[in-house]
Amino acid sequence: SRANSSIDFDDNAKARFGTDADLSIYHDGSNAMIDNNTGNLNIQSDGTIYFTNAAGSEVYVQLSNNGAVQLRYDNSEKLVTKTDGVTITGECAATSFAGDGSALSGVGGENDITSCLFI
């Protein structure tokens, strides 16, 4: 059967899917919930997937089909995947880095950091 208009559910009333109600979608009075109790939760699209604010005016995450993944802060790209790695815009802070750093590029100057560190 088909619904030709809205189906309204009260808070905590669940739309349940699967023989054992493995997937449910509901609103608990404060938050919207997608609850998957079996296997993976796959979100599939032939196009781009966006995670946005309720108005759709600010993108938090953008997942492009056969392309980049973008993480944004205040609608501004901060981390973007690309074919040969990632681009980080702004400050990058970490508690540690792996590797010896000998392949770093673009950090030269009068006191080239790679020359100082890897003599």
Side-chain angles (χ1 to χ4, degrees):
S1 68
R2 232 173 101 143
N4 292 316
S5 63
S6 298
I7 299 174
D8 296 326
F9 294 87
D10 291 334
D11 286 344
N12 293 306
K14 299 177 180 181
R16 296 186 301 196
F17 304 88
T19 302
D20 295 318
D22 300 318
L23 172 69
S24 58
I25 302 172
Y26 62 100
H27 191 273
D28 68 6
S30 299
N31 301 292
M33 307 295 289
I34 299 173
D35 188 1
N36 180 48
N37 292 311
T38 304
N40 298 324
L41 175 64
N42 298 311
I43 300 172
Q44 298 177 319
S45 173
D46 287 334
T48 300
I49 298 172
Y50 296 94
F51 290 84
T52 68
N53 63 349
S57 60
E58 186 169 327
V59 176
Y60 307 137
V61 177
Q62 179 177 327
L63 311 162
S64 299
N65 188 13
N66 294 317
V69 171
Q70 299 177 6
L71 301 179
R72 300 181 186 186
Y73 180 86
D74 198 20
N75 215 28
S76 177
E77 292 178 1
K78 296 301 174 186
L79 187 139
V80 179
T81 62
K82 55 185 191 165
T83 302
D84 59 347
V86 298
T87 298
I88 298 173
T89 303
E91 181 180 329
C92 178
T95 57
S96 67
F97 287 98
D100 66 10
S102 61
L104 290 173
S105 62
V107 293
E110 187 176 333
N111 297 313
D112 185 328
I113 191 169
T114 55
S115 299
C116 295
L117 296 175
F118 310 106
I119 298 176

